[in-house]
Amino acid sequence: MTHPALRVDAVGDRLRLLHVHAHPDDESSKGAATTAKYVDEGVDVLVATCTGGERGSILNPAMDRPDILANMADIRRAEMGRAREILGIQQVWLGFVDSGLPEGDPLPPLPEGSFATIPLDEAIAPLVKVIRTFRPHVMTTYDENGGYPHPDHIKCHQISVAALDAAADPQRYPELGEPWQVLKLYYQFTFHRDRIAALDQAMKDRGLESPYAERLASWEPDAAHQARLTTRVPCADYFSVRDQALLAHATQVDPEGSWFAVPLETHQEAWPTEDFELVRSEVDAPLPEDDLFNGIAVPAGADLASTVQA
Ligand SMILES: [Zn+2]
């Protein structure tokens, strides 16, 4: 697709967006259509992936084979490579080892040396370096509960917030580059009740079986949580790109599973945005908003520049 103009900041640099994710596949299941939209608008998008996903289970029956399980780290790296191409992003690995999702009662201890066990000061260093090198205007991560209670997701939240502060502080990690102040920080807000209820209703309206009926029955409305939604980015045109990126993570995504139970068109009509919570901002921008870069200055007289030069 062509662009009328690349999106740039006040000094004419391309806008930059950094997503921090726990595992390979999280970049495709959370905010991926937003990513594809911004890439299409000429924004530089970098995904920092905390772990290699080595302890992920195989969630696609067609891929549940011993040879695949024996090579999970390599296979997930290759899957990430395909998703990276589909989304048009840059991506870096922060180099931590997947903690796995502990199961059982009582829960087993976290594996020694896994991401969730690394002390915070040590765990934020690679991300501080990424922030100071890439210099994002906007950064996203998960909320304090991790979006869902996987220890790597909660740790991802913790290192993101701490690294954002440390990256801006010239006293901290001086060996990791020049300080950089991220202008806006968002939490991914993908799985909230209003959206799921809208998709559920749209399926029923069309006479289709909703995959969410059972879940919604035991999910009480929570006005306080819903009020955290500040930002809805329209990106329905990019849902198909998100679906392709998800399918690239073949061990993690079942093409016959609930992800794809809602037809694309139904999803586009019922909830055409991806959603975020703005939690930090260095700029003035009224809420609610529909653009993660809302309030970030564009060059003065940007519209006139081309005319003057011509
Ligand atoms: Zn994950």
Side-chain angles (χ1 to χ4, degrees):
M1 291 186 215
T2 55
H3 323 281
L6 294 180
R7 297 197 52 178
V8 294
D9 66 8
V11 294
D13 282 349
R14 280 171 73 169
L15 293 177
R16 293 176 298 275
L17 170 61
L18 172 64
H19 296 300
V20 189
H21 285 295
H23 308 108
D25 80 6
D26 287 318
E27 83 297 326
S28 297
S29 60
K30 299 160 193 71
T34 301
T35 291
K37 170 196 163 99
Y38 282 125
V39 166
D40 199 35
E41 291 178 358
V43 174
D44 259 339
V45 183
L46 175 66
V47 167
T49 312
C50 297
T51 78
E54 302 88 348
R55 288 197 172 88
S57 339
I58 295 177
L59 303 175
N60 176 2
M63 299 292 282
D64 197 355
R65 306 196 312 250
D67 58 314
I68 290 181
L69 198 55
N71 294 296
M72 267 311 251
D74 289 346
I75 288 168
R76 295 203 69 180
R77 197 166 271 266
E79 290 174 346
M80 184 67 233
R82 283 195 289 281
R84 191 164 59 213
E85 278 177 31
I86 290 163
L87 292 172
I89 55 173
Q90 307 171 62
Q91 186 248 350
V92 292
W93 302 93
L94 296 185
F96 297 103
V97 176
D98 192 339
S99 309
L101 184 60
E103 285 173 303
D105 185 15
L107 289 175
L110 292 164
E112 201 179 327
S114 64
F115 179 42
T117 69
I118 308 291
L120 198 59
D121 276 356
E122 190 184 325
I124 69 172
L127 185 55
V128 170
K129 189 173 181 186
V130 166
I131 292 171
R132 287 181 177 171
T133 307
F134 183 65
R135 302 185 304 144
H137 300 87
V138 172
M139 187 168 145
T140 77
T141 186
Y142 314 137
D143 69 18
E144 65 283 0
N145 302 310
Y148 85 114
H150 189 299
D152 288 337
H153 284 237
I154 293 167
K155 189 76 168 194
C156 176
H157 159 80
Q158 291 168 346
I159 70 160
S160 299
V161 174
L164 179 142
D165 285 335
D169 184 346
Q171 308 294 325
R172 302 193 63 195
Y173 304 90
E175 71 283 8
L176 296 181
E178 295 293 311
W180 178 258
Q181 177 67 61
V182 176
L183 296 177
K184 298 173 92 178
L185 174 69
Y186 290 90
Y187 294 159
Q188 301 272 357
F189 205 85
T190 304
F191 299 102
H192 59 90
R193 197 182 187 285
D194 280 7
R195 173 172 167 273
I196 298 301
L199 295 176
D200 178 72
Q201 189 60 50
M203 291 292 278
K204 288 174 181 157
D205 290 348
R206 289 160 179 78
L208 301 169
E209 191 185 338
S210 167
Y212 302 118
E214 197 177 326
R215 191 161 165 199
L216 278 169
S218 60
W219 192 353
E220 291 298 321
D222 181 348
H225 184 254
Q226 207 61 51
R228 293 175 63 166
L229 170 50
T230 60
T231 309
R232 295 186 61 186
V233 178
C235 54
D237 289 348
Y238 298 89
F239 284 179
S240 59
V241 183
R242 176 205 56 194
D243 289 351
Q244 290 167 41
L246 267 170
L247 289 170
H249 293 284
T251 59
Q252 303 300 305
V253 177
D254 180 0
E256 310 296 325
S258 63
W259 261 112
F260 298 100
V262 179
L264 180 63
E265 299 74 25
T266 305
H267 194 168
Q268 288 172 321
E269 286 165 24
W271 201 273
T273 62
E274 285 179 340
D275 307 329
F276 299 86
E277 176 188 5
L278 177 66
V279 284
R280 299 267 197 101
S281 181
E282 303 288 324
V283 301
D284 239 352
L287 296 175
E289 59 180 6
D290 62 3
D291 178 9
L292 303 182
F293 295 96
N294 185 30
I296 293 176
V298 295
D303 293 345
L304 296 172
S306 55
T307 319
V308 172
Q309 284 163 7

